[in-house]
Amino acid sequence: MVALQGTRPFVSGYRPEFGYGPLQSSKLVFARFSVGNNAVKNLGLCRGGDVRLRSSRIIIRQWRSLRRFDQGLLGKDLQMMLGNEKSTNIVWHKSSVDKIDRQELLQQKGCVIWITGLSGSGKSTLACALSRCLHSRGKLTYILDGDNVRHGLNRDLGFKAEDRAENIRRIGEVAKLFADAGVICIASLISPYRKDRDGCRALLPDGDFIEVFMDMPLQVCEARDPKGLYKFARAGKIKGFTGIDDPYEPPLNCEIVLKQKGDNCASPCNMAETVIRYLEEKGYLRA
Amino acid sequence: MNAVGIKPLPGFATLRDGYLPGNAKARSVLRITAADGLQQAVRVDVNGNGKAKLDTLKPNGSPLGSILANGFTSNGKNQSPLSRIGNSTNIKWHECSIDKIDRQNLLNQKGCVIWITGLSGSGKSTVACHLSKILTQMGKLTYILDGDNLRHGLNSDLSFKAEDRAENIRRVGEVAKLFSDAGVICIACLISPYRRDREACRKILPNGDFIEVFMDVPLGVCESRDPKGLYKLARAGKIKGFTGIDDPYEPPVNCEITLKCDNGIYASPSAMAEKVICYLEYNGYLQA
């Protein structure tokens, strides 16, 4: 397929689906070329333009005029639908050409996997396992771990309610940037309040916010106590610790729930595979 | 040893999943050179079925007790089990086996931050766009952090008073650092008028990964362009503290690249972008 970018008022874009006949209301143009430069020149499609070949794709820039072609004139390799020469400001695709270029380059779609749950529920462990599994499939991921981000961007924030909210807001905004860059961004933080998580969801296009709930009972998390924090909290040395004296509001409508089955907890790799299957089904592991 | 996020010396096999090369001795101490020249002693305990347990060691040979973080080899990452950083108490750095080097190998490039600074209307966003487009065509992953755009999202709670400008730049710097760690060539374009704030961003990145680009365009030229009509508003007194009019711009003293107007004829944005790309190529950022 061809990505076309014109000078104003043409708007750049890309249509993956392809049909026959002129489009009714939108004045969009897209074309499929089977071979390179010569086909373009023979058609006289591009005038005064700057044509670059990249593998089997042609990017045509700054084309100044279009001529209407019937299907029959073009030969069977070529199908085009052309619009009016006075096409104005139509959005072809909800993503910009840049975002699509990045998706094409990475062979994946950016998204945010938001892992939420109590301290010790296994969020960071899952995030690492997921990152490793996706990396072995050639996918680019990046982990935004709540604790790690508090070493840098969010070092000015504490743990009172408004700071937690701001922590989550900033991570949500950064995750959005990563997703826009085409990265599969894995955010792992307790994020105990529903309102804050929903706020992050609202920042992203539909479907790109994938909420994963680590549904582990408090006792299991406390028994693990990987950082010794439950012990401190029970001893009253930490106040407002989630699960002990601050609430955790579980998601009502998340995309994936990972829970304990009976006495056993699935391994991080198995949990990661569950998430990867979801990504595969929804098309995030291809451009 | 990949588990600690550093490259093994030549002659050492990569340690993955705890398995050592066949000739490794039990309880041997190996000295590993990290990617940026730091050295770290690691004790390897090999048990009966060849699995190794790694203990990083302090210089006196006693165990450190925790594995160093990946991605950042210096800048004093806190090595105790729980730490306090700024206002955040009881936080622990979580290591992960996929590090910056793995991502760079995947992308065939090195992450860095190209920080484009200059007066309003000097062409920062224009050059950023051209740079991004050309690098994308070369198969490199880039991302633009535009000061204006970020003020709509992450930095929507900040104004233009001095402390908020500083916080704006600090946050953009931290985000750019994350992108660079992810292996992305991150292009930050913002006026960033104060030298101290830009230097603070430089400090948080590993040596060389902060590439400062100064758009050296005279105020007169910027003002005649006035792409957003802001100079006009500033001259009319409708905007206070506007950089170049009633707020200073401190040009860089030691930046990596200067892009300037020559004799009134300035290079095109594409030519300027090409100059930056040459720098990246020369300094090895366009390969893993």
Side-chain angles (χ1 to χ4, degrees):
Chain A
M1 293 304 293
V2 175
L4 302 173
Q5 186 175 49
T7 51
R8 285 177 184 229
F10 301 113
V11 175
S12 60
Y14 176 77
R15 280 283 277 253
E17 68 274 6
F18 194 75
Y20 290 85
L23 297 165
Q24 280 87 10
S25 52
S26 55
K27 303 173 177 84
L28 302 177
V29 181
F30 59 96
R32 175 183 289 155
F33 294 91
S34 55
V35 289
N37 264 332
N38 284 335
V40 175
K41 283 183 191 153
N42 290 340
L43 290 171
L45 173 66
C46 175
R47 289 191 205 156
D50 174 18
V51 180
R52 294 162 202 250
L53 251 187
R54 183 153 58 99
S55 63
S56 61
R57 288 176 37 171
I58 300 171
I59 300 177
I60 302 172
R61 299 192 182 279
Q62 295 188 320
W63 59 345
R64 306 240 168 80
S65 71
L66 303 169
R67 285 162 57 199
R68 188 178 283 280
F69 288 93
D70 288 326
Q71 269 185 305
L73 291 177
L74 298 175
K76 57 183 176 337
D77 273 344
L78 208 61
Q79 292 151 348
M80 281 165 109
M81 282 175 278
L82 297 171
N84 193 302
E85 285 185 39
K86 294 186 188 1
S87 300
T88 53
N89 292 327
I90 301 122
V91 177
W92 292 48
H93 195 279
K94 63 181 184 213
S95 310
S96 66
V97 171
D98 293 340
K99 184 171 177 175
I100 289 156
D101 283 340
R102 289 189 289 265
Q103 285 174 184
E104 198 59 53
L105 179 69
L106 294 172
Q107 284 299 298
Q108 64 188 56
K109 289 189 185 73
C111 60
V112 176
I113 302 169
W114 191 279
I115 309 175
T116 176
L118 292 169
S119 175
S121 53
K123 302 181 295 297
S124 301
T125 309
L126 172 63
C128 280
L130 197 46
S131 173
R132 236 180 358 254
C133 292
L134 285 167
H135 182 84
S136 67
R137 287 164 197 239
K139 302 303 169 196
L140 180 68
T141 64
Y142 195 67
I143 298 178
L144 293 177
D145 183 285
D147 278 359
N148 292 3
V149 179
R150 278 179 179 275
H151 277 83
L153 174 68
N154 293 349
R155 61 184 297 136
D156 58 323
L157 302 175
F159 283 92
K160 45 191 216 278
E162 52 269 33
D163 278 2
R164 279 187 195 258
E166 178 63 6
N167 182 48
I168 289 165
R169 184 195 75 86
R170 289 190 200 169
I171 291 178
E173 290 282 1
V174 174
K176 175 186 177 182
L177 296 172
F178 271 100
D180 190 51
V183 182
I184 296 170
C185 180
I186 306 164
S188 77
L189 49 166
I190 300 175
S191 46
Y193 309 126
R194 221 171 265 141
K195 185 185 78 177
D196 298 334
R197 297 191 304 262
D198 290 345
C200 293
R201 182 186 281 279
L203 296 173
L204 281 130
D206 267 342
D208 287 359
F209 185 87
I210 301 160
E211 195 173 11
V212 177
F213 173 36
M214 300 296 290
D215 189 1
M216 299 295 154
L218 176 63
Q219 307 87 277
V220 172
C221 299
E222 196 166 350
R224 290 172 183 170
D225 204 5
K227 300 184 248 183
L229 295 174
Y230 283 99
K231 194 171 164 187
F232 282 156
R234 291 287 184 199
K237 292 178 183 172
I238 308 176
K239 299 287 179 220
F241 187 72
T242 305
I244 304 295
D245 56 348
D246 207 69
Y248 179 80
E249 298 170 359
L252 297 172
N253 241 339
C254 57
E255 282 69 18
I256 303 172
V257 178
L258 297 170
K259 64 196 308 174
Q260 199 169 317
K261 288 183 177 140
D263 285 333
N264 295 318
C265 187
S267 71
C269 277
N270 286 344
M271 290 186 172
E273 286 298 327
T274 305
V275 179
I276 290 173
R277 263 196 306 274
Y278 179 92
L279 293 174
E280 223 150 25
E281 272 166 40
K282 300 292 179 180
Y284 286 97
L285 303 187
R286 52 181 188 274
Chain B
M1 303 293 169
N2 287 340
V4 296
I6 46 183
K7 274 190 178 146
L9 291 168
F12 284 88
T14 305
L15 185 74
R16 286 229 183 255
D17 299 321
Y19 287 96
L20 278 177
N23 57 354
K25 295 196 179 78
R27 298 193 72 79
S28 50
V29 177
L30 310 168
R31 183 155 290 279
I32 310 292
T33 302
D36 70 354
L38 284 181
Q39 290 201 320
Q40 179 65 50
V42 179
R43 182 177 66 216
V44 184
D45 290 338
V46 184
N47 65 17
N49 47 12
K51 282 198 184 255
K53 177 174 158 285
L54 293 179
D55 259 322
T56 45
L57 303 176
K58 293 185 202 164
N60 66 5
S62 58
L64 197 55
S66 76
I67 298 176
L68 291 174
N70 290 311
F72 305 91
T73 48
S74 53
N75 299 346
K77 192 56 66 228
N78 198 309
Q79 290 154 8
S80 65
L82 286 175
S83 57
R84 184 197 172 108
I85 300 283
N87 284 337
S88 296
T89 49
N90 298 316
I91 51 177
K92 180 185 171 183
W93 185 270
H94 296 272
E95 75 282 2
C96 181
S97 57
I98 300 299
D99 63 4
K100 183 175 182 180
I101 291 170
D102 291 321
R103 291 186 285 266
Q104 288 178 165
N105 286 335
L106 182 68
L107 294 170
N108 196 28
Q109 63 187 55
K110 288 193 183 73
C112 59
V113 176
I114 301 169
W115 191 278
I116 309 179
T117 175
L119 292 169
S120 175
S122 53
K124 301 182 292 299
S125 301
T126 309
V127 169
C129 281
H130 280 259
L131 191 49
S132 173
K133 284 199 161 40
I134 299 172
L135 284 168
T136 306
Q137 282 163 11
M138 293 169 75
K140 302 303 165 194
L141 182 65
T142 66
Y143 195 66
I144 298 178
L145 295 177
D146 184 287
D148 279 355
N149 292 356
L150 282 166
R151 277 182 177 274
H152 280 91
L154 175 68
N155 294 344
S156 55
D157 59 322
L158 302 175
S159 69
F160 282 93
K161 46 191 216 276
E163 54 272 30
D164 278 3
R165 277 189 197 256
E167 175 63 6
N168 181 48
I169 290 165
R170 184 194 77 83
R171 286 188 200 172
V172 175
E174 290 286 357
V175 174
K177 178 186 182 187
L178 293 172
F179 270 95
S180 166
D181 188 51
V184 181
I185 295 171
C186 179
I187 306 165
C189 56
L190 45 170
I191 300 174
S192 46
Y194 309 125
R195 218 171 269 140
R196 184 193 61 200
D197 297 333
R198 298 191 305 260
E199 286 308 305
C201 290
R202 182 187 283 279
K203 283 202 174 72
I204 63 174
L205 277 134
N207 261 343
D209 287 357
F210 184 85
I211 300 161
E212 196 174 12
V213 177
F214 173 38
M215 299 295 297
D216 189 1
V217 180
L219 177 62
V221 174
C222 296
E223 198 167 347
S224 64
R225 291 173 185 171
D226 205 3
K228 300 183 247 186
L230 297 174
Y231 283 99
K232 191 172 168 187
L233 291 173
R235 290 287 184 200
K238 292 182 183 168
I239 309 177
K240 301 286 180 223
F242 188 72
T243 304
I245 304 294
D246 56 349
D247 207 72
Y249 178 81
E250 299 169 357
V253 169
N254 242 338
C255 59
E256 282 70 18
I257 303 171
T258 302
L259 300 171
K260 61 194 314 173
C261 299
D262 289 310
N263 302 320
I265 302 162
Y266 33 88
S268 67
S270 285
M272 289 184 169
E274 293 284 347
K275 190 170 175 185
V276 178
I277 289 171
C278 287
Y279 179 94
L280 293 174
E281 215 150 33
Y282 185 77
N283 288 283
Y285 285 98
L286 303 186
Q287 64 216 38

